[in-house]
């Protein structure tokens, strides 16, 4: 077995064995605590540029199947595991995780004390790292740099719009790196969805005469996504808006709020979020390194609707005047629970009430 | 939401005596609940008839009633205490059933007592099979096609529709009692009849079999704000068809994809929401391995064995949280007790794999039916944590104390291939070993999968272990391969077998090479939050998280899985030892592997190592922690057995030394000891040659007590009355030889006495003596113990004290000592000395108020008894009479003979106490689950030698108005003496025979004593089994009969003619 090493920004290295591709790679190191859902995670565009440390020790036990992708191509840069299962068992399994990663050039390292690594990140805060061959003499990690946010989003988004037809509400979904399951949730409710690239112009969006606009999840540092923020700004107040994940941050930024980076990101499927109005807590899936700073809300018209039960950071916002709301977590789940998918219904209701109030068009 | 301020006093119902399917886990959950409620400022009243539990300590609840768990007694408690609410959901099935019965009795309404946790409606919807099915239909969730029947004909008819195989499940029974799988009509008839008899509502569910599906459990918690979470899910390695309690289980599930996981998660949450449970709930599901088709198997609207397991597996204390929810707190305001910084409203993330393996009683019940099915048979379980499945499995296997801890049973290599294949297909308790053996023999994964339906994932992991064995074999004493197999959980023993070396050699080689484990924390959050819980497991990786403090430390070894002969009593003592160590200012460290117990609650000790209790694992902890010493005397035989190895490796054993254990356990040394001390024991001899057995027995004089020397725990011990019986016996035991001799003892008929004492080497203090109702010959764990003794003279008691003092001094006992005596006249025979904690410690501690394990621990750590005001004496006897009764699980164990003898068979105990012996017995019998009939019929069928004695008992039954039946010989004997008696035919004869009488429920008691030689399939055996299976009181000891008669007598007003005949003639 080929030995490989993971070198962290702070110089710490971890040795292990290669699996997947033999390439070298770099990225932002995050710990993912999900015990299932690696396939969804690897293909979730929010994970663009990331190297994931899987805290659950056996990854790949149920293989990789053709149904559970969150985007067509994998998005992850690399994966660090304790053990990569070579003999998966599940009726849908078609290949091993190693074979899949090899096919798409994603390197992985197994045999790592992933708990030690996770604890290291918890103490030192999130950092970048790269995966190299054992023999590679790399001591200087300063060159490990991440792309700019805009670049990530561009990578994660699409080039041309496409339509997922339906007979219900007409939604323009701005794809900042959308997980497929968002589409599933909306199509299940009969929506007519036009998925557009992140930099689609304001006029083009309006030309679709949408009932509402959904800002999807996606990767990267939101406040650097200047183009997208500006585009969204022009839509504010004109259409009902629903932001998810990065979309939530973009919406907040568009209204003038600020975002900040977390000490370590939230990547996993068990993040409790309190819905303030109902005083109920939900279990949510998250993949984020940033949060909207509460102190920056003043004057934006944004109100907090959800908070993290763990650290009280903002998890949801809505606008006092405009028909716009957003959540930091992923109500579509996948991986994880979609128990908060009522938010999609809320979005549809918002569109309906908007139509009733403003005489907006409805489309049969 | 703040807690409910309307409530002040809460009655918590415990689960009563331990039986298969309802064991120590409810002590853990109950104890947690009581603590949690007290923490919130409530007054807690506890009712539990099981004295062996921690929860019945007076420090756990504000008031403890160790009264029978029946409506009668609970109503009394409720009337007296006037609680505002009752919390039944932490007391297992017993608690739930009582809640329903109390409600039916109207007392809750009358006294305005509310029910916390689950509503009655929820309980009924979950427990009543029909209501449950209706509910599932309402919420659109699938259950296997089924029908409720109340008679056998209906069952047959229904199966004609859906086809075999089917599962029969009686309503409102626990652990699958009375249920089973059938694929033909005869079995169906039999099982349904049986099930109907055992079901309190006389209902059985006939259900389409879904055997072979994956079986999963979800532990869910919900609060009154309708917030609900899954604490943990678990996947059974053995697919549907083997009861979850008997299956090897992993947590979290491994072979489910995220989709399947969440499909079943949302179903589970939907169900708990539909039932509106406030607290914990267990949902069992089955999913087709080849599609998304799934079924709900059942729902337990309460905490359960699985929730205890889930709590230990994740660190998330379900019972504690459930108790807080029951009083109105909500998940988003209860702190996560592990991290102390986050809240209970989240789903734990595990960064390890947990394996649970059940522990079965078949080392004791060698003739019992070992097949596993839908009825639970395990008495206990172990849990192991590792960073891969293999590691957890192998750590688990060495925790089971089956064989020598290796993944290999020595008798299997000799077994016939066909036999093994058969055992693979029809699972029994050793299947995991059988699979290993078949892999060693080269069987393919496909074949094993076809035979077992076990998922390929698990089979491949097992196969991987065997592959590694082969790899290992090729590279003896190679460091790399050694490290590799260690990472996969191999024990030094297993490696030693493969390398044909000694365990010690491996240990030495490994130490030289610096191959040792590190400890990782169980923290609910996979390392992503700072945690404070000192809860660790070992693994071979790079970072050790267990920080060693500068404090002086003491390591206590627990007692491992619960089994017959080593029950929860030892956990009780372990916990008290830990508490005493903490009191004295040391750091108390505990090692144990039993997920059901209080001792493995991480809040009990300063540090918990959830580890196998095997030499190497203990050594690793010792090497890291460097404790002042190790205490082995509270952990039963499990811990005692480790003492020699530990001492050899230089570990300091605290308290009573190894030599004492050896002198008490080695028969020759023991004899010598007694001789030196001028104490007597029954005459006995060790015989190493079959040909000498008869002569020796004759010389000692029949009856004699015989047992093979090498068998542990009194199994295969028998009393034989004559040469013929002895010859029969010899045919049943393996051939004897000088290495494996037979022990023959004079059988002494006398009063058996159990005594527990504490000694510091100088002073020997005896809190109390217990006398047994049954004469010697019935194992002390199976007889009714009475405190204070009723039939012993002061002289005899003094002799017992004297003997104890002498023995304790001679053995240098520091700590606890248990001695069993037989009293014959004024003679005091010593039959057994255990220089360690015993089964009677909790019982005696509770009734005398002397917390013996605590005191003993203080002696062990250097305090003196005299310094604490104790002297060599027996504590003054209490005024009340206290009895301890054995409780059996015979309903669950087919083919196990119910006759009481020198082999222990009970799984639990109950207490009864009151002013008089009869009242105490009445309560104790009730608490043990017998409802004593005060009228009805008695069936006698006794051995010749017992007829005279039985006659007197029969006469008393007659006087009390019972009708008498007897088999021919017995009937004739009684009739001759003028007793009105109906003779009935033997099994198989006429229309009215012994069996039909039992089957038709025409008798309330069956009194049967052992005929010759204990042939398992004898008529007597069938009679006893039938009685058990029909819930009829079956008594096999005449002393027990007499005790029950006394109870009936003392509470019955009998109709008696006046003596003076002339005066009443009219
Ligand atoms: N329809 C069925 N077909 C096959 N096996 C079943 C079926 N239903 C239950 N079982 C098996 O029987 C066991 C016990 O059934 P369960 O309903 O859980 O009763 P208990 O109350 O004893 O736990 C289950 O763990 C499962 O393995
Ligand atoms: N010599 C004897 N005479 C009569 N009964 C005996 C004799 N020796 C043992 N017994 C009975 O057998 C039971 C079990 O024997 P014991 O030596 O205590 O074994 P264990 O180690 O299983 O406790 C005792 O409780 C007692 O009832
Ligand atoms: Mg069950
Ligand atoms: Mg004994």
């Amino acid at each position: 077995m080929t030995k490989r090493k993971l070198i962290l920004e702070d110089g710490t290295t971890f040795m292990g064995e290669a699996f997947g591709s033999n390439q070298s790679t770099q990225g932002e190191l995050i710990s993912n605590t999900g015990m299932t859902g690696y396939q969804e995670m690897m293909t979730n565009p929010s994970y663009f540029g990331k190297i994931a440390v899987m805290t659950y020790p056996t990854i790949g036990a149920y293989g990789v199947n053709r149904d559970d992708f969150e985007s067509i191509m994998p998005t992850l840069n690399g994966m660090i595991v304790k053990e990569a299962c070579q003999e998966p068992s599940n009726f849908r399994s078609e290949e091993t995780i190693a074979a899949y990663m090899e096919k798409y050039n994603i390197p992985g390292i197994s045999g790592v004390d992933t708990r030690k690594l996770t604890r290291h990140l918890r103490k030192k805060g999130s950092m970048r790292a790269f995966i190299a061959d054992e023999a590679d003499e790399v001591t200087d990690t300063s060159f490990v740099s991440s792309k700019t946010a805009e670049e990530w989003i561009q990578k994660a988004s699409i080039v041309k719009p496409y339509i997922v037809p339906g007979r219900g509400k007409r939604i323009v979904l701005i794809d900042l790196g959308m997980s497929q399951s968002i589409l599933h949730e909306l199509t299940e409710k009969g929506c007519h969805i036009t998925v557009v690239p992140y930099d689609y112009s304001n006029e083009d969006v309006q030309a679709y005469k949408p009932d509402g606009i959904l800002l999807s999840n996606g990767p990267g540092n939101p406040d650097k996504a200047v183009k997208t923020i500006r585009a969204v700004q022009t839509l504010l107040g004109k259409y009902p808006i629903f932001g998810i994940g990065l979309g939530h941050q973009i919406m907040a930024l568009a209204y003038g709020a600020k975002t900040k980076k977390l000490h370590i990101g939230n990547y996993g499927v068990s993040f409790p979020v309190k819905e303030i109005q109902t005083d109920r807590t939900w279990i949510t899936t998250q993949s984020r390194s940033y949060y909207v700073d509460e102190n920056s809300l003043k004057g934006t018209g944004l109100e907090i609707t959800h908070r993290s039960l763990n650290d009280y950071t903002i998890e949801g916002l809505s606008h006092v005047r405009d028909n716009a709301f957003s959540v930091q977590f992923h109500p579509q789940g996948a991986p994880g629970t979609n128990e908060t998918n009522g938010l999609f219904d809320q979005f549809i209701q918002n569109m309906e009430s908007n139509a009733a109030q403003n005489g907006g068009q409805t489309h049969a | 939401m703040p807690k409910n301020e309307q409530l002040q006093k809460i009655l918590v119902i415990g689960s009563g005596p331990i039986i298969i399917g309802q064991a120590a886990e409810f002590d853990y959950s109950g104890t947690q609940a009581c603590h949690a409620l007290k923490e919130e400022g409530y007054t807690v009243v506890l009712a539990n008839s099981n004295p062996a539990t921690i929860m019945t300590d007076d420090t756990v609840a504000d008031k403890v009633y160790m009264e029978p768990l029946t409506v009668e007694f609970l109503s009394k408690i409720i009337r007296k205490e006037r609680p505002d609410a009752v919390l039944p959901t932490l007391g297992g099935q017993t608690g739930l059933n009582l809640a329903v019965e109390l409600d039916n009795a109207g007392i809750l309404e009358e006294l305005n007592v509310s029910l916390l946790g689950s509503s009655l409606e929820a309980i009924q919807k979950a427990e009543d099979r029909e209501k449950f099915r209706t509910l599932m239909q309402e919420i659109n969730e699938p259950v296997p096609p089924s029908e409720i029947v109340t008679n056998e004909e209906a069952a047959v008819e229904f199966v004609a529709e859906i086809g075999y195989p089917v599962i029969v499940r009686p309503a409102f029974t626990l652990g699958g009692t009375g249920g089973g799988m059938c694929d033909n009509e005869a079995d169906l008839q039999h099982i349904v009849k049986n099930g109907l008899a055992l079901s309190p509502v006389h209902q059985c569910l006939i259900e389409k079999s879904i055997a072979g599906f994956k079986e999963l459990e979800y532990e869910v918690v919900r609060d009154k704000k309708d917030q609900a979470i899954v604490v943990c899910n678990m996947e059974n390695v053995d697919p549907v068809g083997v009861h979850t309690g008997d299956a090897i289980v992993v947590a979290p599930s491994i072979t489910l994809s995220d989709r399947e996981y969440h499909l079943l998660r949302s179903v589970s949450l939907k169900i708990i929401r539909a039932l509106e449970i406030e607290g914990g709930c267990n949902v069992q599901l089955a999913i087709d391995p080849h599609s998304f088709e799934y079924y709900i198997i059942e729902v337990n609207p309460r905490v359960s064995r699985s929730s205890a397991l889930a709590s230990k597996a994740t660190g998330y204390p379900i019972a504690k949280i459930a108790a807080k929810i029951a009083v109105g707190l909500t998940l988003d305001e209860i702190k996560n007790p592990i991290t102390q910084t986050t809240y209970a409203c989240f789903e734990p993330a595990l960064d390890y794999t947990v394996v649970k393996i059940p522990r079965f009683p078949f080392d004791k019940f060698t003739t019992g039916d070992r097949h596993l099915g839908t009825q639970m048979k395990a008495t206990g379980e172990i849990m192991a944590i590792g960073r891969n499945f293999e590691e957890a499995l192998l750590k688990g296997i060495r925790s089971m104390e089956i064989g020598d801890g290796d993944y290999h049973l020595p008798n299997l290599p000799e077994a016939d291939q066909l036999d093994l294949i058969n055992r693979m297909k029809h699972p029994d308790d050793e299947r995991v070993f059988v699979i290993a053996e078949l892999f060693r023999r080269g069987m393919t994964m496909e074949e094993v999968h076809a035979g077992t339906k076990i998922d390929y994932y698990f089979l491949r992991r097992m196969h991987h272990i065997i592959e590694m064995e082969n790899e290992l074999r090729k590279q003896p004493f190679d460091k790399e391969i050694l490290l590799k197999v260690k990472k996969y959980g191999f024990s030094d023993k297993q490696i030693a077998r493969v390398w044909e070396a000694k365990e010690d050699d491996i240990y030495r080689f490994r130490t030289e090479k610096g191959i040792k484990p590190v400890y990782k924390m169980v923290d609910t959050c996979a390392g992503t939050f700072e945690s404070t819980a000192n809860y660790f497991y070992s693994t071979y990786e790079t970072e050790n998280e267990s920080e060693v403090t500068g404090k002086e430390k003491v390591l206590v070894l627990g007692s491992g899985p619960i089994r017959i002969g080593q029950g929860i009593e030892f956990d009780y003592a372990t916990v008290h030892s830990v508490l005493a160590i903490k009191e004295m200012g040391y750091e108390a460290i505990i090692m144990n592997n039993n997920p059901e117990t209080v001792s493995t609650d991480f809040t009990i000790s300063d540090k918990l190592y959830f580890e196998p209790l095997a030499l190497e694992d203990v050594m690793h902890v010792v090497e890291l922690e460097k404790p002042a010493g190790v205490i082995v005397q509270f952990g039963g035989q499990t811990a005692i057995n480790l003492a020699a190895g530990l001492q050899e490796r230089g570990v300091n054993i605290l308290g009573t030394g190894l030599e004492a254990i050896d002198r008490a356990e080695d028969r020759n040394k023991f004899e010598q000891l007694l001789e030196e001390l001028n104490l007597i024991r029954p005459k006995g001899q060790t015989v190493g040659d079959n040909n000498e057995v008869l002569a020796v027995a004759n010389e000692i004089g029949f009856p004699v007590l015989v047992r093979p020397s090498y068998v542990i725990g009194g199994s295969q011990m028998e009393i034989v009355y004559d040469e013929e019986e002895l010859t029969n016996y010899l045919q049943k035991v393996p051939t004897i030889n000088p290495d494996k001799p037979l022990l023959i003892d004079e059988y002494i008929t006398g009063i058996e006495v159990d005594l527990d004492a504490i000694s510091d080497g100088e002073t020997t203090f005896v809190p109390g003596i217990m006398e047994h109702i049954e004469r010697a010959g019935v194992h002390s764990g199976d007889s009714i113990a009475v405190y204070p003794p009723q039939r012993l003279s002061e002289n005899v008691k003094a002799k017992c004290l004297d003997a104890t003092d002498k023995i304790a001094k001679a053995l240098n006992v520091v700590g606890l000592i248990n001695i069993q005596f037989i009293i014959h006249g004024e003679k005091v025979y010593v039959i057994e000395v255990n220089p360690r904690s015993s089964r009677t410690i909790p019982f005696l501690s509770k009734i005398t108020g002397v917390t013996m394990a605590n005191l003993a621990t203080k002696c062990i750590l250097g305090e003196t008894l005299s310094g604490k005001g104790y002297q060599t004496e027996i504590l003054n006897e209490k005024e009340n009479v206290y009895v301890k009764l054995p409780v059996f699980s015979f309903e669950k164990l087919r083919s196990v003979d119910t006759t009481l003898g020198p082999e222990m068979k009970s799984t639990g105990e109950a207490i009864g106490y009151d002013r008089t012996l009869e009242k105490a017995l009445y309560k104790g019998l009730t608490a043990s689950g017998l409802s004593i009939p005060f009228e009805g019929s008695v069936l006698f069928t006794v051995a010749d030698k017992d007829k005279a004695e039985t006659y007197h008992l029969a006469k008393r039954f007659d006087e009390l108005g019972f009708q008498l039946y007897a088999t021919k010989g017995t009937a004739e004997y009684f009739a001759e003496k003028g007793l009105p008696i109906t003779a009935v035919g033997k099994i198989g004869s006429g229309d009215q025979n012994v069996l039909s009488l039992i089957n038709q429920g025409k008798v309330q008691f069956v009194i049967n004593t052992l005929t010759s030689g204990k042939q398992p399939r004898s008529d007597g055996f069938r009679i006893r089994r039938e009685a058990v299976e029909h819930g009829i009181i079956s008594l096999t000891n005449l002393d027990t009969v007499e005790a029950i008669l006394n109870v009936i007598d003392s509470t019955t007003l009998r109709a008696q003619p006046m003596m003076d005949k002339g005066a009443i003639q009219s």
Side-chain angles (χ1 to χ4, degrees), chain A residues 14 31 33-38 40 55-58 61-62 65 67-68 82-83 85-92 111-120 122-123 184 264 269-274 278-283 309-310 312 333-339, chain B residues 214 225-229 252-262 265 269 273 288-292 332 341-343 345-353 387-390 455-457 460-461 487-488 520-521 523 525-530 537 540-543 545:
Chain A
F14 286 81
S31 285
T33 52
M35 300 183 286
T36 52
Y38 50 84
E40 291 87 337
T55 63
Y56 183 63
T58 301
Y62 55 85
N65 62 56
D67 308 325
D68 295 345
K82 162 75 179 158
E83 178 186 53
C85 180
Q86 287 158 12
E87 299 167 312
S89 171
N90 187 282
F91 72 101
R92 293 190 300 152
V112 172
D113 189 340
T114 44
R115 182 170 165 90
K116 179 180 178 182
L117 179 51
T118 297
R119 280 163 46 88
H120 185 78
R122 184 188 84 214
K123 283 181 220 150
H184 288 167
I264 53 162
V269 295
S270 174
F271 293 95
V273 165
K274 166 79 66 84
T278 57
D279 194 32
R280 273 182 72 169
T281 309
W282 304 97
I283 302 298
L309 192 63
N310 287 340
Y312 307 107
T337 164
N338 63 353
E339 65 183 32
Chain B
K214 295 183 188 184
K225 284 204 287 197
D226 206 26
Q227 300 175 127
I229 56 150
S253 63
I254 300 185
T255 71
L256 296 191
S257 68
D258 194 62
R259 254 230 231 154
E260 291 152 324
Y261 177 97
H262 284 282
R265 175 189 181 274
L269 294 183
R273 289 192 161 116
D288 180 6
H290 308 292
S291 73
F292 288 109
D332 54 341
T341 52
T342 52
Y343 290 91
C345 194
F346 77 112
E347 304 193 340
L350 278 58
D351 55 4
Y352 45 80
T353 291
R387 291 273 283 167
N388 52 53
F389 176 76
E390 292 90 325
D455 194 282
Y456 274 113
Y457 180 86
R460 287 186 188 126
R461 306 285 96 194
K487 285 187 176 179
Y488 284 103
K520 297 214 176 274
M521 192 188 275
D523 65 2
C525 59
T528 54
F529 291 94
E530 183 102 40
Y537 67 95
Y540 286 78
E541 277 195 323
T542 51
E543 186 187 37
E545 294 172 38

Side-chain angles (χ1 to χ4, degrees), chain B residues 129-146:
Chain B
R129 301 279 184 197
E130 189 142 31
K131 288 194 178 131
F132 180 66
R133 276 191 314 165
T134 314
L135 177 70
M136 288 305 108
Q137 262 155 25
E138 271 167 30
I139 65 171
N140 230 334
E141 291 299 342
V143 288
S146 61

Side-chain angles (χ1 to χ4, degrees), chain B residues 22 90 99 105 363 370 374 383 386 428 503 608 699 721 732 761 766 770 802 823 884 937 1048 1061 1066:
Chain B
Q22 190 163 284
L90 295 136
D363 51 338
R370 307 175 83 119
T374 57
M383 179 181 104
D428 62 28
E503 185 187 358
L608 163 67
E699 189 189 309
Y721 285 84
K732 286 187 302 185
V766 180
M770 290 148 287
D802 180 55
I823 315 298
K884 176 172 92 66
S937 313
I1048 299 175
K1061 284 183 186 161
S1066 54

Side-chain angles (χ1 to χ4, degrees), chain B residues 477-502:
Chain B
F477 289 90
D478 175 82
K479 184 189 156 190
E480 291 302 312
I481 184 79
L482 179 65
L483 179 60
K484 176 177 170 187
V485 301
K486 277 307 215 189
K487 285 187 176 179
Y488 284 103
F490 277 50
S491 64
D492 286 354
K493 279 217 173 89
Q494 187 171 5
I495 297 166
R497 170 174 54 80
V498 176
W499 279 352
E500 294 174 12
K502 290 212 175 64

Side-chain angles (χ1 to χ4, degrees), chain B residues 401-440:
Chain B
E401 292 172 63
I402 292 288
D404 65 355
D406 187 357
Y407 186 30
H408 175 270
L409 289 184
N411 59 340
L412 292 183
E414 293 149 31
D416 178 61
Q417 181 86 358
L418 285 178
D419 188 39
L420 286 183
I421 291 175
N422 195 30
R423 289 183 67 187
M424 165 190 88
K425 288 185 183 158
H426 306 282
D428 62 28
D429 55 314
E430 292 176 347
R431 178 155 84 170
V432 66
F433 294 99
V434 169
I435 291 172
E437 179 59 27
L438 286 170
F439 281 148
R440 284 194 186 95

Side-chain angles (χ1 to χ4, degrees), chain B residues 533-742:
Chain B
N534 280 319
Y535 176 6
F536 298 99
Y537 67 95
S538 72
T539 188
Y540 286 78
E541 277 195 323
T542 51
E543 186 187 37
N544 181 45
E545 294 172 38
S546 173
E547 280 167 31
V548 178
T549 67
K551 265 175 108 177
E552 187 145 31
K553 309 170 190 72
V554 176
L555 172 62
V556 181
L557 302 185
S559 56
I562 290 195
R563 65 210 94 156
I564 289 173
Q566 189 164 303
I568 187 178
E569 296 85 354
F570 294 89
D571 200 66
Y572 168 89
T574 303
V575 168
H576 275 289
S577 176
V578 165
L579 297 179
I581 293 166
K582 280 165 82 172
E583 264 171 48
M584 288 185 70
Y586 294 91
E587 180 173 321
I589 304 176
I590 182 164
M591 270 183 90
N592 201 359
N593 54 33
N594 185 339
E596 306 173 319
T597 55
V598 177
S599 69
T600 51
D601 178 339
F602 67 89
T603 59
I604 294 291
S605 55
D606 292 311
K607 228 180 211 184
L608 163 67
Y609 286 97
F610 209 105
E611 286 284 283
L613 289 165
L615 186 56
E616 66 175 285
D617 303 280
V618 179
M619 282 311 294
H620 291 148
V621 170
V622 168
E623 281 157 13
L624 176 71
E625 294 285 353
K626 304 196 173 55
V630 178
I631 296 184
V632 296
Q633 59 174 274
F634 301 107
Q637 211 57 41
T638 301
I640 291 281
N641 290 345
L642 288 165
L646 289 173
Q647 185 154 316
E648 236 163 70
R649 292 187 185 182
V651 179
N652 183 22
I653 305 293
L654 295 174
T656 309
L658 202 56
E659 199 205 331
I661 300 170
D662 190 43
R663 283 175 78 188
E665 283 186 354
D666 181 296
R667 199 170 149 100
N668 291 330
K669 291 182 188 161
F670 183 54
E671 259 163 43
Q672 223 176 337
L673 171 78
L674 294 186
E675 217 158 281
E676 274 165 29
L677 299 177
N678 239 333
L679 298 170
I680 52 168
R681 66 171 303 273
K683 265 189 295 180
Q685 215 167 305
T686 310
V687 191
D689 181 349
N690 257 349
N691 300 323
E692 287 171 24
V693 171
L694 275 187
V696 173
N698 276 315
E699 189 189 309
I700 291 173
F702 282 100
V704 290
L705 190 85
V706 284
R707 62 182 122 172
S709 64
Y710 54 91
V711 184
I712 341 145
S715 84
Q716 295 204 306
M717 194 192 300
E718 274 182 36
I719 299 161
V720 292
Y721 285 84
D722 51 39
E723 289 194 6
E724 191 196 330
E725 286 189 18
L726 185 56
T727 321
N728 281 344
Y729 175 80
L730 288 175
Q731 277 160 6
K732 286 187 302 185
V733 293
T735 328
I736 55 180
N737 59 49
D739 285 338
K740 294 179 172 178
L742 189 74

